[in-house]
Amino acid sequence: MASNMLTLLRLSSTMGASTARRLMVATAALIGVGSVFYMVSDMDATVRRKLSARVSLMLGEEGFVAHHAERLTTETSRAIRPFVWHLQHNFQRMVEAEEHKRADHLRRRRTAQDSQIYFDELRIRAQDLANAVRLVSSDSSMC
Protein backbone atom coordinates (compact mmCIF):
# COMPACT_ATOMS: atom_id res chain seq x y z
CA MET A 1 0.00 0.00 0.00
CA ALA A 2 2.84 2.35 0.89
CA SER A 3 4.60 1.61 -2.40
CA ASN A 4 1.37 2.39 -4.28
CA MET A 5 1.15 5.71 -2.46
CA LEU A 6 4.75 6.53 -3.37
CA THR A 7 4.02 5.66 -6.99
CA LEU A 8 1.00 7.97 -6.89
CA LEU A 9 3.09 10.79 -5.41
CA ARG A 10 5.72 10.36 -8.15
CA LEU A 11 3.01 10.36 -10.77
CA SER A 12 1.45 13.48 -9.27
CA SER A 13 4.73 15.32 -9.44
CA THR A 14 5.00 14.61 -13.17
CA MET A 15 1.31 15.34 -13.92
CA GLY A 16 0.81 18.40 -11.89
CA ALA A 17 -1.01 19.05 -8.68
CA SER A 18 -4.46 19.80 -10.05
CA THR A 19 -4.51 16.73 -12.33
CA ALA A 20 -3.30 14.51 -9.51
CA ARG A 21 -5.92 15.95 -7.21
CA ARG A 22 -8.67 15.28 -9.76
CA LEU A 23 -7.33 11.77 -10.27
CA MET A 24 -7.34 11.15 -6.50
CA VAL A 25 -10.87 12.54 -6.12
CA ALA A 26 -12.09 10.41 -9.02
CA THR A 27 -10.37 7.34 -7.56
CA ALA A 28 -11.85 8.03 -4.11
CA ALA A 29 -15.29 8.56 -5.65
CA LEU A 30 -14.96 5.35 -7.64
CA ILE A 31 -13.92 3.43 -4.50
CA GLY A 32 -16.83 4.99 -2.57
CA VAL A 33 -19.39 4.17 -5.25
CA GLY A 34 -18.02 0.62 -5.51
CA SER A 35 -18.24 0.19 -1.73
CA VAL A 36 -21.83 1.48 -1.65
CA PHE A 37 -22.78 -0.75 -4.58
CA TYR A 38 -21.25 -3.81 -2.84
CA MET A 39 -23.06 -3.03 0.43
CA VAL A 40 -26.39 -2.59 -1.37
CA SER A 41 -25.98 -5.76 -3.40
CA ASP A 42 -24.90 -7.78 -0.33
CA MET A 43 -27.65 -6.30 1.84
CA ASP A 44 -30.31 -8.72 0.53
CA ALA A 45 -28.28 -11.79 1.50
CA THR A 46 -27.35 -10.27 4.87
CA VAL A 47 -30.95 -9.39 5.71
CA ARG A 48 -32.17 -12.85 4.69
CA ARG A 49 -29.48 -14.53 6.78
CA LYS A 50 -30.27 -12.45 9.86
CA LEU A 51 -34.04 -12.84 9.48
CA SER A 52 -33.66 -16.58 9.00
CA ALA A 53 -31.60 -16.84 12.17
CA ARG A 54 -34.15 -14.77 14.14
CA VAL A 55 -37.13 -16.77 12.85
CA SER A 56 -35.39 -20.07 13.61
CA LEU A 57 -34.58 -18.89 17.12
CA MET A 58 -38.15 -17.70 17.76
CA LEU A 59 -39.71 -20.88 16.39
CA GLY A 60 -37.38 -23.00 18.49
CA GLU A 61 -38.25 -21.04 21.64
CA GLU A 62 -42.01 -21.31 21.06
CA GLY A 63 -42.03 -25.05 20.36
CA PHE A 64 -43.43 -24.46 16.88
CA VAL A 65 -42.15 -27.72 15.44
CA ALA A 66 -43.38 -29.87 18.34
CA HIS A 67 -46.79 -28.17 18.33
CA HIS A 68 -47.33 -28.63 14.60
CA ALA A 69 -46.00 -32.18 14.63
CA GLU A 70 -48.56 -33.02 17.31
CA ARG A 71 -51.30 -31.22 15.36
CA LEU A 72 -50.43 -33.08 12.17
CA THR A 73 -50.41 -36.40 14.01
CA THR A 74 -53.84 -35.70 15.50
CA GLU A 75 -55.32 -34.58 12.19
CA THR A 76 -53.86 -37.56 10.36
CA SER A 77 -55.24 -39.96 12.94
CA ARG A 78 -58.64 -38.32 12.70
CA ALA A 79 -58.58 -38.58 8.89
CA ILE A 80 -57.43 -42.21 8.85
CA ARG A 81 -59.72 -43.47 11.63
CA PRO A 82 -62.82 -44.17 9.41
CA PHE A 83 -60.71 -46.18 6.98
CA VAL A 84 -59.21 -48.18 9.84
CA TRP A 85 -62.68 -48.89 11.26
CA HIS A 86 -63.90 -49.99 7.84
CA LEU A 87 -60.87 -52.24 7.40
CA GLN A 88 -61.36 -53.75 10.87
CA HIS A 89 -65.06 -54.32 10.19
CA ASN A 90 -64.33 -56.03 6.85
CA PHE A 91 -61.62 -58.15 8.46
CA GLN A 92 -63.99 -59.15 11.27
CA ARG A 93 -66.68 -60.13 8.74
CA MET A 94 -64.14 -62.20 6.80
CA VAL A 95 -63.01 -63.96 9.99
CA GLU A 96 -66.62 -64.70 10.94
CA ALA A 97 -67.35 -66.03 7.45
CA GLU A 98 -64.30 -68.31 7.66
CA GLU A 99 -65.40 -69.47 11.13
CA HIS A 100 -68.85 -70.31 9.74
CA LYS A 101 -67.27 -72.23 6.85
CA ARG A 102 -65.05 -74.11 9.30
CA ALA A 103 -67.97 -74.93 11.59
CA ASP A 104 -70.02 -76.09 8.59
CA HIS A 105 -67.09 -78.20 7.39
CA LEU A 106 -66.66 -79.76 10.84
CA ARG A 107 -70.41 -80.46 11.05
CA ARG A 108 -70.41 -82.12 7.62
CA ARG A 109 -67.31 -84.10 8.56
CA ARG A 110 -68.97 -85.33 11.78
CA THR A 111 -72.10 -86.25 9.79
CA ALA A 112 -69.98 -88.09 7.22
CA GLN A 113 -68.16 -89.99 9.98
CA ASP A 114 -71.46 -90.93 11.64
CA SER A 115 -72.80 -92.03 8.26
CA GLN A 116 -69.65 -94.06 7.63
CA ILE A 117 -70.07 -95.83 10.98
CA TYR A 118 -73.78 -96.45 10.29
CA PHE A 119 -73.13 -97.89 6.83
CA ASP A 120 -70.23 -100.01 8.10
CA GLU A 121 -72.54 -101.47 10.76
CA LEU A 122 -75.28 -101.90 8.12
CA ARG A 123 -72.83 -103.75 5.84
CA ILE A 124 -71.83 -106.05 8.70
CA ARG A 125 -75.52 -106.81 9.51
CA ALA A 126 -76.23 -107.37 5.80
CA GLN A 127 -73.33 -109.81 5.61
CA ASP A 128 -74.57 -111.55 8.77
CA LEU A 129 -78.08 -111.82 7.27
CA ALA A 130 -76.64 -113.07 3.97
CA ASN A 131 -74.65 -115.71 5.86
CA ALA A 132 -77.74 -116.70 7.84
CA VAL A 133 -79.75 -117.02 4.61
CA ARG A 134 -77.00 -119.19 3.09
CA LEU A 135 -77.01 -121.37 6.18
CA VAL A 136 -80.77 -121.74 5.99
CA SER A 137 -80.70 -122.57 2.31
CA SER A 138 -77.90 -125.09 2.79
CA ASP A 139 -79.78 -126.70 5.74
CA SER A 140 -82.95 -127.02 3.73
CA SER A 141 -81.15 -128.69 0.87
CA MET A 142 -79.90 -131.35 3.26
CA CYS A 143 -83.27 -132.33 4.44
Side-chain angles (χ1 to χ4, degrees), residues 7-27:
T7 306
L8 262 167
L9 284 175
R10 276 189 227 136
L11 254 165
S12 67
S13 64
T14 57
M15 282 193 268
S18 67
T19 309
R21 198 177 356 191
R22 276 191 263 150
L23 184 63
M24 283 186 191
V25 168
T27 305

Side-chain angles (χ1 to χ4, degrees), residues 24-143:
M24 283 186 191
V25 168
T27 305
L30 189 62
I31 290 173
V33 168
S35 297
V36 169
F37 178 73
Y38 174 74
M39 287 189 324
V40 168
S41 67
D42 191 47
M43 190 182 306
D44 185 44
T46 304
V47 169
R48 285 181 190 225
R49 212 174 19 252
K50 286 187 178 186
L51 279 177
S52 174
R54 280 187 197 161
V55 168
S56 295
L57 182 65
M58 288 173 58
L59 292 179
E61 288 174 355
E62 294 177 6
F64 178 81
V65 174
H67 170 70
H68 284 287
E70 183 178 339
R71 182 185 62 81
L72 284 173
T73 302
T74 305
E75 291 295 323
T76 303
S77 295
R78 189 175 299 144
I80 291 175
R81 192 173 298 136
F83 297 106
V84 170
W85 287 340
H86 183 69
L87 183 66
Q88 286 176 339
H89 179 69
N90 285 346
F91 182 74
Q92 185 64 34
R93 282 194 339 215
M94 288 172 51
V95 166
E96 288 172 359
E98 289 299 318
E99 285 176 353
H100 287 303
K101 285 180 185 178
R102 182 176 179 270
D104 187 44
H105 175 72
L106 290 175
R107 185 179 47 77
R108 287 182 181 183
R109 182 176 170 196
R110 203 172 315 116
T111 303
Q113 287 173 342
D114 292 345
S115 297
Q116 181 70 35
I117 291 169
Y118 172 77
F119 285 115
D120 285 343
E121 289 174 356
L122 186 63
R123 183 179 47 84
I124 292 171
R125 281 194 316 195
Q127 286 176 348
D128 288 345
L129 283 174
N131 288 339
V133 168
R134 278 190 213 119
L135 283 176
V136 169
S137 65
S138 64
D139 284 342
S140 60
S141 61
M142 287 184 151
C143 296

